Amino acid sequence: MNSIAKYLLIGVWLTVCVGCAEEEQKTTTQADQPIFESMKSGRIATDGGLSRGVAWGDYDADGDPDLYVANSNAQWNALYRNNGDGTFKKMTSDAGNDRVYSEVVKHGGNSQGVNWVDIDNDGDLDLYVVSRGKEGNFLFENIDNLGFKRVLDGPLTSDQIAASMACWADIEGDGDLDVLIVASGSGANWVFKNIDGRNFEQVTDVEMAKSDSSGRACACGDANNDGLPEFYIANARKPNLYYKNLGNWKFEKVMKGHVVEDIGYSYGVSWADYDGDGDLDLFLANFDKQNFLYNNDGTGNLMPVRESILTQEQGGASKGHTWGDYDNDTDIDLFIANGTYRPDMQNFLYLNEGNGKFIRNYEGEIKKHADTSAGAAHADFDRDGDLDIFVANWGSNDQVNRFYVNTSTGQNWVSLRLQGTDSNRFGIGAKVTLEISDGTSSKKLYRWMYPVTGYGSQDDYELHFGLGTGYDIKTLSIKWPSGHEDVHRDFAFNKHYRAKERADISVAN
């Protein structure tokens, strides 16, 4: 039995109704000890602001993930460099010898979504920040992992773009990253084709660029396992949008079904294989009603899951969220950030029981913090083999953000960073299958390299697998965006690995 057995299902059904006309039920659980505790010291744990999106990425290529936080209301954005010893240094406008130019931290305005993304395919992470204001979006080029240069020319930084989130993916499979930018006001979304890593061309004749939007979030993922990304756009009080990728820059707009017909104030969205069947399902966070979970039939058709605590429990103005195996028991769990203040406001942590069903964890500081939250994202910042979560808060313009450190122990794990050669350098779009065995039976675990998540945020570029106990690793296969597949054997758990396309796997720094 996996580690979820440590949670007792009390079996008490509570009737709740907050701002709605119908009743939902929730299941109460109790843990022996909490999974997370909040970091108490350092600027990363004590800074306040009107924070929106967050993104993890190893911008200085020193082996540990750093954090960028997007702030609005004319506040400067924040960059926290990981010192590698469990602490962070907040970077300032005085670069000194800190290997970062002042440009990247002395801007803000109405920043929302943020991406660490290798736009020019040179092997280091550039930074892209979108804004709902008219000051233009921010693009910073990473100069050999030593610092940043602001890019002012080109369509990506036009002051005509008012946006809340951007989703980067290799739309046509040519080895570089294109982008969908979600319009936060009225009007169409923007789609840009990557020409040569430095020049982008606006594409106006695709379905995604034709539909009027009032977007809050986007998600990209290969829903039918054909190697090409589908896109979903979460809109505020307009029909949500779902586009199936047909290849060669052609998309089919899905016109019917709950997934595009149920209208609410949708605020966050993500793809995740919650039931472990090898295809990507969809989670939709709503601001004004219950959240939605859609099950994939394997071909990209999405049907609503109604009998789940994820969809029955009132969301509480849900926005950001991030999927990950937080208790390292082989299946992925869900953290949800809720975002409008009331005295009983809580963020949610749902633990996967291993059969696609979830129980809510009520223990620890997550329950105690009545925060007004927006974006959330995870990374193994301290390299101890479990996933930690950073949450952006925006209440009262100076509400402290939360950094939840994972304290779970006793379970095995393995993690993987990707380096594409024929594919884009960070392997966005790759599907990784890890086969494990307990000696009598085998089990396959699936992860996809699509780091954008929830609302305006991005997880680290590291695929993490919890392994529980009693399992050995049989094979690890990587299906790259190029179509090439690598299969690896004979490696141990409880290590961080790096895999290069068409090459051997190696232990990472």
Side-chain angles (χ1 to χ4, degrees):
M1 182 175 293
N2 63 32
S3 66
I4 290 297
K6 68 181 180 181
Y7 296 95
L8 292 174
L9 185 61
I10 297 178
V12 177
W13 294 94
L14 301 177
T15 302
V16 298
C17 186
V18 180
C20 60
E22 59 188 64
E23 295 180 341
E24 291 86 36
Q25 291 178 318
K26 65 182 179 181
T27 306
T28 304
T29 66
Q30 184 172 354
D32 294 330
Q33 58 184 356
I35 295 175
F36 294 101
E37 63 181 28
S38 61
M39 183 177 285
K40 301 296 193 303
S41 61
R43 294 291 300 275
I44 196 171
T46 59
D47 278 349
L50 204 150
S51 301
R52 305 299 291 176
V54 302
W56 289 97
D58 184 9
Y59 81 86
D60 51 4
D62 65 351
D64 47 47
D66 312 292
L67 181 73
Y68 195 84
V69 179
N71 293 317
S72 58
N73 201 30
Q75 298 173 351
W76 285 9
N77 298 329
L79 174 62
Y80 303 92
R81 192 185 74 195
N82 195 328
N83 293 323
D85 59 1
T87 66
F88 290 80
K89 176 179 176 60
K90 184 175 184 179
M91 310 308 290
T92 68
S93 59
D94 179 14
N97 295 319
D98 289 329
R99 299 191 299 172
V100 59
Y101 300 145
S102 61
E103 286 285 351
V104 79
V105 293
K106 69 177 185 181
H107 295 284
N110 289 289
S111 296
Q112 301 290 317
V114 55
N115 305 101
W116 290 109
V117 57
D118 187 2
I119 293 174
D120 47 10
N121 225 22
D122 65 350
D124 54 36
L125 289 174
D126 310 298
L127 183 67
Y128 189 58
V129 185
V130 299
S131 171
R132 283 189 191 169
K134 289 296 186 180
E135 67 267 23
N137 299 328
F138 302 130
L139 175 59
F140 302 98
E141 180 185 1
N142 190 328
I143 310 299
D144 299 326
N145 301 317
L146 299 175
F148 294 89
K149 176 183 177 181
R150 186 177 178 188
V151 179
L152 294 171
D153 57 343
L156 296 181
T157 58
S158 169
D159 60 8
Q160 300 303 308
I161 298 177
S164 55
M165 189 169 180
C167 282
W168 293 83
D170 187 355
I171 288 178
E172 76 277 56
D174 65 348
D176 55 30
L177 297 175
D178 315 291
V179 64
L180 162 69
I181 302 175
V182 177
S184 61
S186 60
N189 300 302
W190 293 271
V191 180
F192 293 97
K193 174 179 172 60
N194 192 330
I195 303 302
D196 58 8
R198 295 183 179 274
N199 295 288
F200 288 79
E201 177 182 275
Q202 186 174 2
V203 181
T204 59
D205 60 349
V206 295
E207 286 295 326
M208 290 188 296
K210 294 178 181 178
S211 300
D212 284 342
S213 179
S214 181
R216 292 297 179 266
C218 59
C220 48
D222 182 8
N224 55 6
N225 282 317
D226 67 351
L228 296 172
E230 276 66 54
F231 289 85
Y232 192 89
I233 299 172
N235 286 324
R237 299 195 175 98
K238 286 186 178 181
N240 296 319
L241 303 171
Y242 178 26
Y243 300 98
K244 294 184 177 180
N245 193 335
L246 305 179
N248 297 316
W249 284 92
K250 297 186 182 299
F251 290 86
E252 173 192 350
K253 182 181 179 181
V254 176
M255 302 298 294
K256 295 182 179 180
H258 187 284
V259 72
V260 293
E261 291 182 319
D262 193 292
I263 298 175
Y265 200 131
S266 297
Y267 226 111
V269 64
S270 61
W271 294 96
D273 183 13
Y274 79 93
D275 53 0
D277 63 353
D279 56 45
L280 284 170
D281 311 294
L282 189 79
F283 179 78
L284 183 65
N286 289 313
F287 189 84
D288 59 348
K289 56 173 32 172
Q290 299 95 328
N291 298 321
F292 295 148
L293 178 66
Y294 296 98
N295 185 265
N296 190 340
D297 68 356
T299 67
N301 296 320
L302 302 173
M303 298 298 295
V305 179
R306 302 185 189 278
E307 298 301 319
S308 172
I309 190 174
L310 300 187
T311 61
Q312 292 174 338
E313 190 165 40
Q314 184 71 19
S318 297
K319 293 183 179 178
H321 53 272
T322 179
W323 293 87
D325 188 356
Y326 298 120
D327 52 7
N328 273 351
D329 69 345
T330 75
D331 44 55
I332 60 171
D333 314 300
L334 178 62
F335 176 89
I336 303 177
N338 293 314
T340 294
Y341 177 75
R342 64 173 187 260
D344 59 344
M345 174 60 65
Q346 296 174 10
N347 294 327
F348 297 157
L349 175 61
Y350 293 105
L351 300 176
N352 194 328
E353 293 188 284
N355 53 5
K357 297 186 182 300
F358 294 82
I359 54 177
R360 183 172 164 191
N361 177 265
Y362 283 89
E363 296 304 308
E365 293 177 305
I366 292 175
K367 178 182 178 181
K368 299 176 183 178
H369 294 152
D371 295 330
T372 305
S373 302
H378 72 238
D380 181 6
F381 87 96
D382 49 5
R383 318 308 293 147
D384 64 350
D386 52 40
L387 294 174
D388 313 290
I389 299 174
F390 188 88
V391 185
N393 293 324
W394 61 281
S396 305
N397 288 341
D398 61 355
Q399 190 175 75
V400 173
N401 296 321
R402 302 290 184 185
F403 189 9
Y404 293 107
V405 179
N406 196 319
T407 61
S408 59
T409 59
Q411 304 281 65
N412 295 319
W413 54 272
V414 70
S415 75
L416 185 69
R417 294 189 184 275
L418 303 179
Q419 181 180 340
T421 52
D422 299 335
S423 305
N424 65 85
R425 287 291 292 272
F426 281 79
I428 291 180
K431 179 180 180 180
V432 178
T433 304
L434 184 71
E435 186 175 6
I436 59 178
S437 173
D438 62 2
T440 59
S441 61
S442 296
K443 180 178 181 178
K444 290 184 177 181
L445 311 179
Y446 305 94
R447 301 289 187 271
W448 286 256
M449 181 57 81
Y450 287 107
V452 292
T453 187
Y455 170 72
S457 297
Q458 180 180 296
D459 295 324
D460 187 26
Y461 282 92
E462 184 172 55
L463 299 176
H464 168 269
F465 297 84
L467 300 177
T469 57
Y471 287 104
D472 291 318
I473 299 172
K474 295 182 65 177
T475 62
L476 184 145
S477 65
I478 306 169
K479 186 67 176 293
W480 296 88
S482 66
H484 177 73
E485 185 171 7
D486 290 323
V487 179
H488 301 282
R489 297 178 175 85
D490 300 325
F491 57 96
F493 46 69
N494 297 341
K495 292 183 181 295
H496 301 282
Y497 288 94
R498 182 177 298 277
K500 185 176 182 179
E501 190 173 8
R502 298 182 183 273
D504 290 335
I505 198 169
S506 60
V507 176
N509 294 333

